[in-house]
């Protein structure tokens, strides 16, 4: 299993400038490689591959001392990044989606570089050393790396709060835990997740809560003159607003997925197709909820904790009665489930969560399992009824 551990780095003044210089050199390399591919196809009908460009990179490094000042693994990772952008373009063309041809990157649209393999760089305690970096770069290890983990690659990222490094580690997958605690999850908007044990995870609604502050910052940006210092500062303020929203949302999703992975041995969720749902009138709220990101987090946290995640068909989980299976038609505004056959009367989200759990193959005795280890309330505000 590959896990990424992200840490802040504390560069000195000359190290900060070195990071900026490496980032700028990789942006220029990316744009030059893209220009080479475009011109080769336009003028000669030739498609330049990743291997062709790595050979040209080797010849360039032999004749240019400035190119040799940057580690080879960083430059190869940049070329591979462009190659993956092309592969994504061809894949979308074959699938009939909007192609999205790779674009040239401006200074504000290129914030990462890294080592595709952990070669040409060394980690000694809390210090990183590599070619082109004066001295050793301090890493703030707020949590220790897993014992026995092997570092496969690393990526440096420039954010609004400084530089971070993400270490991709290969860790062993633990065996499945013993136990029979199971839960079904129905994802929503008003309530982020309703669990089959009658508890719920409230929605953070990070974007909605920050709308006013973001709107003020964006209006201030629009009033500034182009290429002015005030516009640069206003743009940085807008970026900080977006970054705060993303951090708050990610923190909420991390906490929710971690508690579920630790509290249950089997977790059933719907195999949602989020993209079509995000095109409707609730698209902004669907994006704000980040269901796909939550399920992705839940998968790897469950694997790390020895639990299972089972994705089931979401069709009619809301319409069918969880007690007798009769289909009860509901509109979106109908928030209660009332079955005319068996008389079951519960919330529609709770009914859907129980259907999700039953479709995962759990026995009826597990439909109302409690004791998941999640406190009522807490930082997540998980409530139980």
């Amino acid at each position: 299993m590959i896990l990424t551990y992200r840490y802040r780095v504390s560069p000195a003044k000359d190290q900060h400038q070195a990071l900026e210089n490496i980032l700028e050199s990789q942006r220029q390399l990316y744009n030059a490689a893209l220009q080479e591919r475009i011109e080769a196809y336009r003028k000669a009908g030739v498609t330049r591959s990743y291997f062709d460009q790595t050979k040209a990179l080797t010849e360039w490094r032999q004749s240019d001392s400035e190119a040799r000042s940057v580690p080879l693994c960083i430059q190869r990772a940049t070329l591979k990044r462009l190659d993956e952008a092309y592969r994504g373009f061809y894949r979308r063309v074959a699938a009939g989606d909007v192609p999205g041809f790779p674009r040239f990157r401006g200074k504000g649209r290129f914030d990462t570089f890294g080592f595709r393999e952990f070669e040409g760089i060394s980690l000694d305690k809390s210090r990183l050393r590599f070619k082109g970096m004066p001295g050793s770069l301090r890493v703030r290890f707020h949590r220790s790396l897993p014992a026995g983990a092997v570092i496969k690659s690393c990526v440096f990222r420039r954010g609004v709060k400084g530089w971070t490094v993400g270490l991709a580690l290969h860790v062993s997958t633990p065996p499945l835990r013993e136990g029979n605690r199971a839960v079904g999850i129905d994802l929503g908007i008003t309530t982020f997740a309703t669990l089959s044990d009658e508890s719920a995870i409230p929605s953070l609604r990070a974007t909605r809560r920050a709308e006013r502050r973001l709107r003020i910052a964006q209006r201030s940006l629009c009033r500034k003159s182009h290429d002015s210092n005030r516009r640069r500062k206003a743009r940085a303020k807008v970026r900080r607003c977006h970054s705060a929203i993303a951090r708050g949302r990610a923190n909420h999703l991390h906490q929710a997925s971690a508690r579920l992975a630790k509290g249950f041995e089997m977790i059933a969720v719907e195999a949602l197709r989020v993209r079509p749902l995000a095109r409707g009138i609730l698209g902004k709220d669907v994006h704000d909820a980040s269901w796909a990101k939550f399920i992705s987090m839940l998968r790897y946290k469950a694997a790390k904790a020895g639990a299972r995640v089972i994705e089931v068909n979401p069709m009619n989980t809301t319409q069918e009665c969880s007690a007798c299976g009769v289909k009860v038609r509901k509109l979106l505004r109908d928030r209660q489930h009332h079955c005319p056959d068996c008389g079951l009367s519960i919330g529609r989200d709770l009914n859907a969560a129980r259907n999700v759990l039953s479709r995962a193959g759990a026995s009826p005795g597990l439909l109302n399992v409690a004791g998941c280890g999640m406190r009522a309330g807490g930082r997540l505000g998980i409530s139980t009824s």
Side-chain angles (χ1 to χ4, degrees):
M1 180 168 56
I2 303 294
L3 296 178
T4 300
Y5 283 67
R6 184 167 288 111
Y7 302 97
R8 290 192 178 279
V9 296
S10 300
K13 188 174 182 179
D14 56 340
Q15 292 176 335
H16 180 83
Q17 186 61 46
L19 288 171
E20 292 286 347
N21 292 340
I22 294 174
L23 180 66
E24 176 62 17
S25 68
Q26 297 315 294
R27 185 186 71 86
Q28 293 178 5
L29 176 62
Y30 182 95
N31 288 341
L34 176 58
Q35 181 69 25
E36 182 191 21
R37 288 197 178 206
I38 293 174
E39 293 298 328
Y41 186 80
R42 180 181 297 168
K43 294 180 179 179
V46 177
T47 300
R48 296 283 286 174
S49 68
Y50 165 72
F51 299 102
D52 296 331
Q53 293 192 318
T54 52
K55 291 179 182 178
L57 174 64
T58 303
E59 297 175 358
W60 176 48
R61 285 176 61 89
Q62 292 174 352
S63 60
D64 193 332
S65 60
E66 184 178 352
R68 292 195 301 270
S69 64
V70 179
L72 178 61
C73 286
I74 293 180
Q75 296 170 332
R76 285 180 174 175
T78 301
L79 295 180
K80 190 64 178 178
R81 180 175 173 179
L82 174 63
D83 186 65
E84 290 174 349
Y86 261 85
R87 289 176 182 272
F89 166 73
Y90 290 128
R91 184 177 62 252
R92 289 187 293 270
V93 170
D97 297 335
V98 179
F101 189 79
R103 298 184 296 178
F104 293 99
R105 300 300 183 95
K107 288 188 176 182
R109 293 185 177 274
F110 197 92
D111 293 322
T112 62
F113 71 88
F115 293 80
R116 192 170 181 86
E117 297 88 18
F118 202 72
E119 298 177 0
I121 182 172
S122 63
L123 175 63
D124 182 15
K125 295 182 180 179
S126 62
R127 299 280 179 170
L128 281 171
R129 297 178 181 272
F130 56 93
K131 187 178 181 180
M133 178 56 56
S136 57
L137 187 62
R138 183 186 175 190
V139 182
R140 294 185 176 273
F141 282 96
H142 60 276
R143 57 175 176 171
S144 59
L145 296 175
V150 179
I151 303 178
K152 306 296 289 184
S153 63
C154 73
V155 174
F156 291 88
R157 179 180 297 274
R158 181 184 62 185
V160 295
K161 286 196 170 185
W163 286 86
T164 60
V165 59
L167 302 175
L169 310 177
H170 183 271
V171 297
S172 58
T173 305
L176 294 177
R177 297 197 314 258
E178 295 183 359
N180 59 356
R181 294 176 299 176
V183 69
I185 302 175
D186 178 68
L187 299 175
I189 293 176
T190 305
T191 301
F192 176 73
T194 301
L195 278 58
S196 58
D197 64 357
E198 302 184 16
S199 62
I201 302 174
S203 290
L204 181 64
R205 301 177 74 87
T207 303
R208 291 294 185 183
R209 291 167 59 183
E211 273 185 336
R212 183 176 182 274
R213 181 162 57 94
L214 185 59
R215 184 168 59 248
I216 292 173
Q218 289 172 333
R219 287 178 177 175
S220 176
L221 174 63
C222 291
R223 290 194 295 267
K224 302 298 185 291
S225 301
H226 287 277
D227 299 328
S228 65
N229 287 332
R230 289 187 176 183
R231 184 176 181 85
R232 177 177 54 81
K233 293 178 181 178
R235 187 186 299 113
K237 188 175 182 179
V238 173
R239 288 189 65 188
R240 287 196 296 270
C241 289
H242 282 293
S243 179
I245 294 171
R247 288 197 309 272
R249 182 188 298 116
N251 185 54
H252 179 261
L253 299 179
H254 275 298
Q255 291 182 4
S257 56
R259 292 191 180 188
L260 288 169
K262 293 177 182 178
F264 296 97
E265 283 74 43
M266 195 274 281
I267 305 168
V269 295
E270 295 175 309
L272 295 173
R273 296 180 60 196
V274 179
R275 183 177 295 180
L277 296 174
R279 294 172 182 163
I281 58 175
L282 298 176
K284 186 173 184 178
D285 293 299
V286 171
H287 284 299
D288 195 11
S290 296
W291 294 334
K293 187 174 183 179
F294 170 73
I295 295 175
S296 176
M297 288 182 178
L298 193 59
R299 287 196 197 104
Y300 84 81
K301 289 182 187 294
K304 185 180 177 181
R308 291 182 300 158
V309 174
I310 300 177
E311 298 186 44
V312 303
N313 186 357
M315 183 175 294
N316 293 325
T317 53
T318 302
Q319 308 294 337
E320 293 180 359
C321 179
S322 58
C324 63
V326 172
K327 186 177 292 185
V328 182
R329 296 289 182 181
K330 303 179 189 69
L331 300 177
L332 185 59
R333 64 173 179 266
D334 300 327
R335 307 312 304 172
Q336 287 293 122
H337 168 79
H338 301 287
C339 181
D341 281 24
C342 65
L344 179 65
S345 180
I346 55 176
R348 65 179 283 161
D349 295 336
L350 176 58
N351 177 70
R354 291 182 176 179
N355 280 329
V356 170
L357 181 57
S358 64
R359 290 187 183 186
S363 61
L366 294 176
L367 288 177
N368 293 311
V369 171
C372 63
M374 293 185 289
R375 296 173 295 172
R379 293 184 65 185
L380 276 178
I382 297 175
S383 60
T384 56
S385 56

